[in-house]
Amino acid sequence: MRATTAINVSVIGLGYIGLPTAAFFANAGQQVLGIDTDPRIVDSVNDGVTPFDEPGFAALLQHVVDEGLLRASATLEAADAFVIAVPTPVRKDHRLDDRYIRSAVSSIARVIQGGELVVLESTSPPGTTSEMAKYLLSLRPDLTLESGKENSVYFAYCPERVIPGGIMREMASNDRVIGGLNSASLERARNLYKTFVNGSILGTDAKTAEMAKLTENSYRDVNIAFANELSLICAENGVDVWELIELANHHPRVNILEPGPGVGGHCIAVDPWFIVSSTKQARLIEMARRVNDAKPDFVVRRVEDSIASTSAKTVAILGLTFKANVEDLRESPALAIAETLTSDHPDVHFLIVEPHVEVLPGTLGSHSNADLVDLSAIEEGCEIIVLLVDHDEFLEPVSDLNDKVILDFKGVWSS
Ligand SMILES: NC(=O)c1ccc[n+]([C@@H]2O[C@H](COP(=O)([O-])OP(=O)(O)OC[C@H]3O[C@@H](n4cnc5c(N)ncnc54)[C@H](O)[C@@H]3O)[C@@H](O)[C@H]2O)c1
């Protein structure tokens, strides 16, 4: 055991996942060093200020930083355990872009001494933990995967399941799947996560744990694709998809999810590709991805038809984020739809209502025909309202909708 001031856990990547994880470890009494390549994030964490909005998280971060349990740096130091939570984007060919993982592993290789645990939390294709171990050992051939030796290194995979917006609730209470490259690695990882996880810790091998995370999100994607496909079929047949789903869900063994303008975020819209690119068997999973990816085009066509038939001059767009009540715009179909409409229709004025952003994001800000406005501003001056995100602020219809065309792609006002 190192001296008491030594670092117990180093979390590499202080984003939506890594920073709360680091704070929960610290709150459980561990001495935590958080590493990020972005100096603004390092400074913000050291000031005790959260770089992103997450209900209830600011107070926890402030507390663990004030107590001296968590500090951030750009430079990794020796630690008992390293937890990697860096981005794992998908490349154009739908395979993993592993450059962030490799960079994190390279920095671990510079400080590791033998006896440490390395945990990958980033969502990754099957086999990534094993590849990561091979890469580390290629940089440090003096270390070994064989357990119980002075120079042993232990590797595990521990996927994260928290929902943005509910991280304070779910980080400790969710059940966690942990897969070890061997049983000693699993036990070490289990002991580490037990320090703050109250849910069950479900042990398995690394590849099954990697697949578990991808399977969970593919399950969601396939089921949303079913709902989205129904919405296209219903539009063609003049059937209200919301009413249809409501009726079908009265069957005791049917539970159809909700359609929407597409699937976004950094998980459900991305993770299934890691399964698809690893096998030729994933036909349904691939088709679901394609159905969900095609939905924003359908929404754009519906809005364009409506603009053409009403000769609308002003269109209100409600919501830009990838889902309700968050500020996260990553892979957001709503943002992509708004960007396409504003750039393809320069003669139409777009009133954009997004309570979770301060300025128009992406290319929207550069379009003179788009303005970020309050919800109250749309009552007067628009002919079409396009609802893309079911934020709480939109649940009650604005008062005077009678003379407007409502295109509600979340079923908020239509049901
Ligand atoms: N956001 C979610 O809801 C969620 C949920 C489950 C799993 N995940 C997975 O967790 C992983 C991290 O996602 P996120 O949302 O926290 O990403 P993020 O983009 O919010 O944060 C990643 C952080 O890593 C930093 N970084 C990149 N390379 C680095 C390096 N070599 N060393 C140190 N820091 C580095 C970046 O600067 C960034 O701050 C991804 O694999 C993601 O798929 C995310």
Side-chain angles (χ1 to χ4, degrees):
M1 214 47 199
R2 296 188 172 85
T4 45
T5 51
I7 298 154
N8 304 121
V9 190
S10 190
V11 179
I12 305 172
L14 298 178
Y16 283 90
I17 294 303
L19 182 55
T21 303
F24 272 75
F25 276 128
N27 199 40
Q30 310 265 19
Q31 195 66 44
V32 181
L33 175 66
I35 301 295
D36 206 286
T37 44
D38 184 339
R40 286 167 307 179
I41 291 182
V42 170
D43 290 346
S44 176
V45 172
N46 284 331
D47 289 342
V49 176
T50 173
F52 50 81
D53 241 5
E54 176 64 34
F57 180 60
L60 173 70
L61 182 67
Q62 178 90 65
H63 170 70
V64 291
V65 171
D66 287 352
E67 291 294 308
L69 289 163
L70 171 64
R71 71 186 163 87
S73 170
T75 313
L76 194 60
E77 298 171 24
D80 296 325
F82 301 94
V83 173
I84 301 175
V86 296
T88 42
V90 63
R91 299 188 318 209
K92 280 209 163 58
D93 65 359
H94 296 145
R95 293 183 181 277
L96 170 70
D97 174 355
D98 68 353
R99 83 184 101 141
Y100 301 100
I101 292 183
R102 288 172 83 83
S103 149
V105 171
S106 304
S107 55
I108 293 173
R110 288 194 279 275
V111 299
I112 199 165
Q113 297 162 7
E116 296 92 337
L117 170 70
V118 180
V119 180
L120 180 62
E121 279 213 10
S122 302
T123 307
S124 304
T128 308
T129 309
S130 169
E131 289 302 316
M132 181 181 86
K134 278 189 211 144
Y135 182 54
L136 182 63
L137 294 187
S138 75
L139 299 172
R140 289 290 305 273
D142 56 310
L143 301 172
T144 179
L145 280 184
E146 213 182 305
S147 43
K149 305 203 161 169
E150 279 253 306
N151 60 342
S152 305
V153 195
Y154 301 88
F155 290 91
Y157 183 72
C158 183
E160 182 50 74
R161 292 163 157 168
V162 287
I163 187 165
I167 289 184
M168 290 303 290
R169 190 178 66 246
E170 293 197 354
M171 181 63 81
S173 65
N174 281 354
D175 295 343
R176 293 297 286 258
V177 175
I178 302 184
L181 272 196
N182 51 35
S183 56
S185 300
L186 172 57
E187 274 328 293
R188 281 167 190 252
R190 189 193 287 277
N191 288 335
L192 176 64
Y193 279 84
K194 256 191 346 209
T195 58
F196 78 82
V197 172
N198 307 318
S200 302
I201 294 184
L202 311 161
T204 181
D205 59 86
K207 200 179 258 188
T208 307
E210 288 156 350
M211 278 294 291
K213 170 71 188 173
L214 303 178
T215 300
E216 290 158 14
N217 283 340
S218 298
Y219 173 86
R220 304 267 309 152
D221 201 40
V222 167
N223 282 280
I224 296 167
F226 182 72
N228 274 335
E229 186 163 288
L230 277 181
S231 72
L232 306 188
I233 297 166
C234 285
E236 210 172 276
N237 284 290
V239 170
D240 179 343
V241 68
W242 306 100
E243 186 189 357
L244 173 74
I245 291 175
E246 212 270 317
L247 294 173
N249 281 349
H250 278 269
H251 184 292
R253 284 164 295 283
V254 171
N255 184 16
I256 303 169
L257 299 185
E258 289 178 1
V263 172
H266 245 217
C267 291
I268 298 178
V270 174
D271 302 354
W273 287 122
F274 290 152
I275 293 185
V276 173
S277 63
S278 72
T279 171
K280 286 197 162 42
Q281 307 298 335
R283 288 173 297 170
L284 179 63
I285 295 172
E286 178 171 3
M287 186 55 80
R289 244 342 17 258
R290 296 196 187 284
V291 167
N292 286 333
D293 270 356
K295 188 71 193 284
D297 285 345
F298 167 84
V299 173
V300 167
R301 284 198 307 277
R302 287 287 304 276
V303 178
E304 288 181 338
D305 289 349
S306 191
I307 291 172
S309 64
T310 60
S311 306
K313 291 275 169 286
T314 307
V315 175
I317 294 181
L318 273 54
L320 293 177
T321 59
F322 90 84
K323 64 172 189 168
N325 304 324
V326 297
E327 56 170 20
D328 197 341
L329 293 154
R330 295 181 297 176
E331 316 288 331
S332 171
L335 177 58
I337 290 162
E339 284 180 325
T340 304
L341 288 169
T342 48
S343 88
D344 291 356
H345 297 273
D347 297 338
V348 176
H349 184 200
F350 289 90
L351 301 174
I352 299 186
V353 186
E354 177 42 81
H356 297 270
V357 302
E358 311 257 304
V359 289
L360 283 177
T363 57
L364 281 177
S366 60
H367 290 156
S368 56
N369 60 332
D371 284 307
L372 186 65
V373 300
D374 287 337
L375 188 57
S376 56
I378 69 168
E379 288 190 31
E380 301 281 295
C382 72
E383 294 101 323
I384 300 172
I385 298 177
V386 184
L387 190 141
L388 298 176
V389 184
D390 48 342
H391 289 313
D392 285 351
E393 291 85 345
F394 304 155
L395 296 185
E396 292 299 319
V398 281
S399 54
D400 180 18
L401 292 175
N402 291 338
D403 57 335
K404 302 183 197 323
V405 176
I406 308 291
L407 298 175
D408 175 0
F409 293 96
K410 285 303 296 176
V412 168
W413 297 345
S414 24
S415 50

